[in-house]
Amino acid sequence: MVGSDIEKVLVPKEEVEEIVKRLGEQITNDFLGEELIVVCILKGSCIFFSDLVREINLDVKFDFMVLSSYGNSTTSSREVKIIKDLSEDIKGKNVLVVEDIIDSGRTIKSLKELLEKREPKCLKIVTMLNKPDRREVDIVTDYNGKVIPDEFVIGYGLDYAQNYRNLKDICVLSPSVYMK
C-alpha cells in the first residue's frame, strides 16, 4: 500500500510547480536568443524534464541519457554506467543536463566530465532536488530547485526499486519499506 509507505510529504505538488516555473524562467533568461539542447537523465528526471521544458521559452532540442549507479538500492554503488548515450553531437552547442536529484554528486560529476570532453559551447546542470549533506565530491550545479535534508525521497519521477515514480508530491519513503 503506497500510503503506508510514505513517512511524510516533503515537497507538495503545488511547490513543485512553483519551483519548475522559476527554473524555466531562469533558464529562458540565461539562454535568450540561443538554441539549447536539453538532456533528460532517465528514468528519474523524465517527469521533471517534461514539466521544465514546457516552462522554457526558447528553441530547444531534446536528448536522453540513461545512467545507473543505484540499481534497486537506497545507496549508490559508486559505479556510474552509461546505459544509453546521447544521440546528437554536442560540440559547440549549449547543453542543459536535467537531473532529478544530486546526492553524493558522483554520478553528475562523472557525467559532466564526460560531456565536457565533447566540447559543448556551454554545459549547465539543473536539478530539481539538491542534497548537499550527502555530497562526497565537489560539484556545482547551475540551477537548483530545492535543497532537501538527507532523507530517502520518492515521487515526481524518483523511485525505490522502480516504484513510486508516479506520485505527484515528493515524499519521504518510510524506512520500514527498505529495511525489510
Side-chain angles (χ1 to χ4, degrees):
M1 179 78 186
V2 171
S4 63
D5 295 350
I6 295 171
E7 187 171 286
K8 66 182 176 185
V9 173
L10 188 64
V11 188
K13 68 179 181 176
E14 296 81 12
E15 185 178 354
V16 168
E17 291 166 0
E18 291 170 11
I19 291 168
V20 172
K21 185 176 175 92
R22 173 179 52 84
L23 291 171
E25 289 172 359
Q26 289 175 335
I27 293 162
T28 298
N29 290 334
D30 288 354
F31 289 96
L32 206 56
E34 299 195 41
E35 188 176 274
L36 183 63
I37 297 173
V38 186
V39 178
C40 178
I41 305 303
L42 296 172
K43 298 177 186 170
S45 298
C46 66
I47 296 173
F48 174 44
F49 172 87
S50 295
D51 289 345
L52 180 64
V53 294
R54 289 181 290 196
E55 296 293 338
I56 298 173
N57 190 16
L58 302 168
D59 290 329
V60 296
K61 291 185 178 179
F62 297 175
D63 211 334
F64 302 88
M65 293 186 80
V66 178
L67 309 174
S68 177
S69 66
Y70 278 81
N72 287 336
S73 176
T74 59
T75 57
S76 175
S77 66
R78 297 182 184 266
E79 181 182 342
V80 177
K81 296 178 187 172
I82 296 176
I83 311 298
K84 185 219 173 288
D85 206 340
L86 295 174
S87 302
E88 191 166 325
D89 180 15
I90 61 169
K91 185 173 183 174
K93 298 178 182 174
N94 294 314
V95 178
L96 176 68
V97 174
V98 179
E99 184 62 288
D100 53 358
I101 187 168
I102 298 183
D103 195 310
S104 72
R106 291 181 181 281
T107 301
I108 198 68
K109 183 174 182 176
S110 294
L111 178 61
K112 186 175 182 182
E113 290 169 354
L114 170 79
L115 295 179
E116 283 175 338
K117 290 177 185 172
R118 298 178 186 183
E119 302 176 20
K121 176 181 176 184
C122 175
L123 178 63
K124 301 275 186 176
I125 298 166
V126 58
T127 187
M128 179 64 192
L129 302 173
N130 195 343
K131 208 187 282 190
D133 291 344
R134 299 263 307 162
R135 200 73 81 243
E136 296 177 8
V137 296
D138 187 32
I139 185 75
V140 176
T141 56
D142 303 284
Y143 307 97
N144 289 287
K146 183 173 180 76
V147 173
I148 62 168
D150 183 13
E151 297 179 288
F152 194 85
V153 291
I154 54 171
Y156 198 64
L158 297 152
D159 76 301
Y160 170 69
Q162 299 299 327
N163 293 310
Y164 312 104
R165 291 188 194 276
N166 60 321
L167 299 175
K168 293 179 183 178
D169 301 310
I170 297 170
C171 304
V172 175
L173 183 63
S174 174
S176 65
V177 174
Y178 54 87
M179 299 299 267
K180 294 177 183 174

